[in-house]
Amino acid sequence: MALSLSYFLPKLAVCLMILIILCIARTDSEHSCDDNESRLKYTLNESSHCRSVTDSDKHLIGSLEDWSFANSLLLDTFPIDKEKKNYVREVKDAIFSVVLPTPLQTPVKLVAVAHPVLEDILDLHPNVTKSEYFLAFVSGNTILADSTPLSHRYGGHQFGDWANQLGDGRAHLLGEYVNRKGERWELQLKGSGLTPYSRRGDGKAVLRSSVREFLCSEAMFYLGIPTSRAVSLVVSNDPVWRDQFYDGHPKIERAAVVLRLARSWFRIGSLEILAHKKETSLLRKVTDFVIEQYFPTIDPTDKNKYLALFSEIISQTADLIARWMAVGFAHGVMNTDNFSLLSITIDYGPFGFLDKYVPSFIPNTSDDEGRYSYQNQPDIGIFNMNQLRAALWSLMDREQKRQSEVVLRGYVDIYKRRFMELFRAKLGLFGLSEQDEYIVALLLKIMEDTKADFTMTFRQMADLNLRDIENDDIADELWALKDLHAHEQWQEWSQRYADRIHENGDEDTDQHRRDRMNAVNPRYILRNWMAESAIRKAEKDDFSEVRTLLQILQNPFEKQEIAEISGYAGTPPDWAKKIRVSCSS
Ligand code: AMP
Ligand code: MG
């Protein structure tokens, strides 16, 4: 199917060359984590006092001892792997394996907590984070009485090829929590040790990748993008060998653990493995569960429910990817095992936000062919939806299969519509106008030619009054726009833009437009250099910048003094050009 989305993005290159990269680190050491001795070695955390306690905290649970997981729907619903020993193997006829996290061997330290997640999702009072019990819980060093840790069996297409069984190779689903709002959340540790799905990996996660996942999942949430969340970051001195750039220079790094949350961790790969292994009744069971739990608009008795599910996921995925594009986010590894059935952003690895607008930007240095470049993301969405369609194939009759092709084709229109809605809003435009697509495409072309800063171009656009646009008057401090101003088509663009703003109507003032634009165009995103700077300090045991970044990114649309002093809304420093991010994590 020829469904290129190059439509909006000049010079869009479609790279569908096959690249096989195993993104897991090899390790010589093999050890069993069957023993569940709770080795409670910790230092008291430094991060629990980020927030003062107020009266409105009264509804929060003050002690982890009084907090408990709900009865597990997953355990009640799905068959569990009969093999209880923890060794790497191919698992059949099961969705989960029961496996305990491996306690860290050296003292652990809680270095960052996302308080809104702790309080608004987990109903826990900030004081809880001061307890040793909490530290043991979030590091995987102890297991709550009502928890049965699970690792999930899934497969996936990696870099275009079927990769067979993958699964949670270093993640443990601790349990499901139903909060005071009645929301069910699945809590999962990442970096918590070997599982039956560890393949050749060591089950661990290093500090740098854990900092990135912790910060980015929260940053994305506050940008309004569907995502998994993260509540805590724990670090130890357990040594982890990683050859970060796969160039024969392995180094010892520190093991870290993130406690992350999602309404569900089911992925496209969760269904794919069952379809590939012809475990059709299990495939139906998981799909029915997903429909019943997460798609309330689909009638579970409808004979077209699988088609309806496919259609919903198509539209939510198109929406998700349009949102990524609108904030300049490149996921980096859009394999089907990293693609949620709930269309939330998951599995943060070698992601990157655009600094300069370079559509061919490849965040992952291991992605030689640029399969997962920024501009390829909408097309990869189609590839992934096609794999989902293949996974649902055996559940559909002939007519539904035929319809599913039509549904798949609809992805492009949904994506384009969402993309335009988002970019219209970024430019402060009301309604629809025929010229909008040209206005957006020409702006992006000018930005690409001038390598303008993606985030600050849109942010600074809000600082222009209509008269400034008409008179082509750009203040010196609007540095990102100065780059555009030099372009030969800028005048044409700004006149068209000014005319289009007039179509908003007389009631729309400069101030109103500015407020709207500032509510959708972030001032701060997690640029690679910002994450890198925080990581370098963290590696020297200084986590202050991780915590500061978390705080700033929880409010990305508001100007913040500390962020301005740190240069987070300025041009990236020169050293940022040298930063490389690989699959190694
Ligand atoms: P990712 O590219 O991080 O999404 O990982 C792909 C697969 O490799 C998943 O099944 C992971 O759980 C697994 N994996 C990645 N790194 C490791 C590791 N260090 N130890 C065990 N499994 C891993
Ligand atoms: Mg993954």
Side-chain angles (χ1 to χ4, degrees), residues 67-101:
W67 184 95
S68 58
F69 284 117
N71 194 25
S72 170
L73 273 185
L74 299 173
L75 273 170
D76 285 354
T77 311
F78 298 113
I80 304 296
D81 181 11
K82 293 199 173 52
E83 176 61 271
K84 300 290 176 251
K85 290 208 194 85
N86 186 14
Y87 61 94
V88 173
R89 61 184 179 272
E90 198 178 327
V91 175
K92 294 231 171 69
D93 302 313
I95 307 298
F96 294 101
S97 300
V98 173
V99 55
L100 295 169

Side-chain angles (χ1 to χ4, degrees), residues 457 460-461 464 474 478-485 490:
T457 295
Q460 292 179 355
M461 201 79 83
L464 296 176
I474 295 180
L478 303 180
W479 56 270
L481 297 182
K482 283 277 173 199
D483 288 346
L484 304 181
H485 186 247
W490 171 256

Side-chain angles (χ1 to χ4, degrees), residues 215-415:
L215 287 178
C216 198
S217 43
E218 288 307 284
M220 293 288 268
F221 173 77
Y222 289 97
L223 289 173
I225 297 175
T227 177
S228 60
R229 306 291 303 272
V231 64
S232 58
L233 171 66
V234 162
V235 67
S236 74
N237 283 323
D238 282 24
V240 183
W241 280 97
R242 287 288 182 272
D243 185 358
Q244 191 178 351
F245 299 109
Y246 305 103
D247 58 1
H249 293 94
K251 282 202 300 235
I252 290 184
E253 301 190 45
R254 295 169 79 180
V257 174
V258 170
L259 180 56
R260 56 186 199 168
L261 286 79
R263 300 301 293 273
S264 166
W265 288 100
F266 282 134
R267 304 126 193 277
I268 296 179
S270 307
L271 304 182
E272 282 181 292
I273 188 88
L274 302 172
H276 274 260
K277 302 293 174 189
K278 305 216 174 341
E279 295 173 29
T280 312
S281 70
L282 262 189
L283 172 68
R284 190 180 300 277
K285 205 174 180 82
V286 178
T287 313
D288 286 344
F289 179 87
V290 167
I291 290 173
E292 278 163 39
Q293 294 298 320
Y294 309 111
F295 292 85
T297 58
I298 303 177
D299 175 359
T301 63
D302 181 350
K303 73 176 179 37
N304 287 319
K305 64 182 170 182
Y306 302 122
L307 191 60
L309 175 69
F310 184 53
S311 174
E312 280 289 327
I313 299 179
I314 291 260
S315 112
Q316 292 180 11
T317 300
D319 172 64
L320 177 70
I321 297 177
R323 286 173 189 264
W324 288 356
M325 301 302 277
V327 294
F329 175 79
H331 180 282
V333 197
M334 294 170 69
N335 294 335
T336 54
D337 53 301
N338 293 335
F339 247 60
S340 153
L341 290 176
L342 273 51
S343 305
I344 58 172
T345 318
I346 56 167
D347 282 14
Y348 291 87
F351 63 83
F353 283 87
L354 293 172
D355 290 322
K356 291 179 186 338
Y357 181 60
V358 178
S360 58
F361 169 62
I362 306 162
N364 175 6
T365 51
S366 316
D367 180 5
D368 296 333
E369 305 292 336
R371 178 182 169 86
Y372 297 136
S373 68
Y374 168 78
Q375 67 188 356
N376 279 357
Q377 297 187 115
D379 280 341
I380 294 295
I382 299 173
F383 177 90
N384 288 351
M385 291 302 99
N386 218 348
Q387 301 314 321
L388 173 62
R389 178 170 174 246
L392 294 172
W393 199 248
S394 62
L395 304 182
M396 295 191 283
D397 65 24
R398 190 190 294 193
E399 176 54 20
Q400 290 163 345
K401 285 175 182 160
R402 199 189 61 75
Q403 288 279 337
S404 70
E405 164 128 33
V406 179
V407 170
L408 179 61
R409 266 195 249 119
Y411 170 100
V412 177
D413 282 341
I414 300 168
Y415 171 77

Side-chain angles (χ1 to χ4, degrees), residues 23-25 154 158 166-171 190 194 197-205 242 333 335 337-338 347 585:
C23 289
I24 64 170
Y154 57 81
Q158 297 192 313
L166 299 165
D168 289 331
R170 51 175 169 169
K190 180 165 174 184
L194 290 168
Y197 309 98
S198 296
R199 301 186 291 153
R200 286 173 296 167
D202 56 8
K204 301 196 169 138
R242 287 288 182 272
V333 197
N335 294 335
D337 53 301
N338 293 335
D347 282 14
S585 59

